[in-house]
């Protein structure tokens, strides 16, 4: 946090990156092919309830199928990623957002979790 604050203060005082430096940085970033991070298991929380079978990730190789606006959506479960239309996503929620354009709980969108009853 201190480094970020120091950078912002310096940026205000000195003007930040030049347009040429920004363009070069954008060029370099566009060339980078970053691999998706391997999924790390979540840290256990103190006093947390054990995960129910409903909360587990679908098995690798599973195909999730969903009908959306008359179109059949097929998502492949890979090692730490979900692949839709040849594009890897880090979460089912990211896939659901790419499909619908709005924020969704991915497990709910694909029918892996039941909606909670309202009281």
């Amino acid at each position: 946090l201190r480094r970020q604050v120091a950078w912002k203060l310096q940026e205000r005082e000195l003007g930040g990156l030049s347009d040429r430096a920004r363009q070069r940085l954008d060029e370099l970033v566009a060339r980078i092919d970053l691999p998706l991070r391997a999924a790390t298991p979540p840290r256990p929380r103190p006093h947390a309830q054990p995960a129910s079978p409903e909360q587990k990730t679908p098995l690798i190789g599973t195909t999730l199928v969903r009908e959306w606006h008359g179109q059949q959506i097929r998502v492949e479960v890979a090692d730490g990623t979900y692949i839709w239309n040849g594009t890897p996503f880090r979460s089912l929620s990211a896939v659901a957002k790419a499909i619908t354009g709005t924020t969704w709980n991915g497990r709910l969108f694909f029918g892996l979790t039941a909606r909670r009853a309202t009281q």
Side-chain angles (χ1 to χ4, degrees):
L1 182 61
R2 287 181 183 172
R3 280 191 223 160
Q4 289 175 334
V5 171
W7 170 262
K8 282 295 183 188
L9 291 173
Q10 183 178 349
E11 184 180 35
R12 284 184 193 163
E13 186 68 30
L14 303 175
L17 295 174
S18 67
D19 290 337
R20 183 174 179 216
R22 282 190 191 279
Q23 288 174 347
R24 180 65 178 144
L25 185 59
D26 289 341
E27 290 170 10
L28 292 172
V29 168
R31 278 202 241 156
I32 296 173
D33 184 26
L34 294 175
L36 293 174
R37 282 188 303 163
T40 56
R43 294 183 194 158
R45 293 178 296 174
H47 309 291
Q49 296 290 331
S52 68
E54 179 181 68
Q55 294 174 333
K56 292 184 180 175
T57 304
L59 296 174
I60 295 171
T62 302
T63 301
L64 303 172
V65 180
R66 167 79 150 68
E67 186 80 21
W68 180 255
H69 291 297
Q71 183 179 358
Q72 189 178 56
I73 307 296
R74 299 176 68 83
V75 175
E76 302 290 328
V77 180
D79 187 24
T81 62
Y82 301 91
I83 300 171
W84 174 63
N85 282 350
T87 305
F89 292 86
R90 293 183 182 179
S91 69
L92 283 174
S93 296
V95 176
K97 185 171 185 175
I99 293 167
T100 65
T102 60
T103 303
W104 271 84
N105 174 310
R107 295 184 58 77
L108 184 63
F109 181 80
F110 286 100
L112 301 175
T113 300
R115 185 179 297 271
R116 282 190 250 171
T118 56
Q119 296 179 358

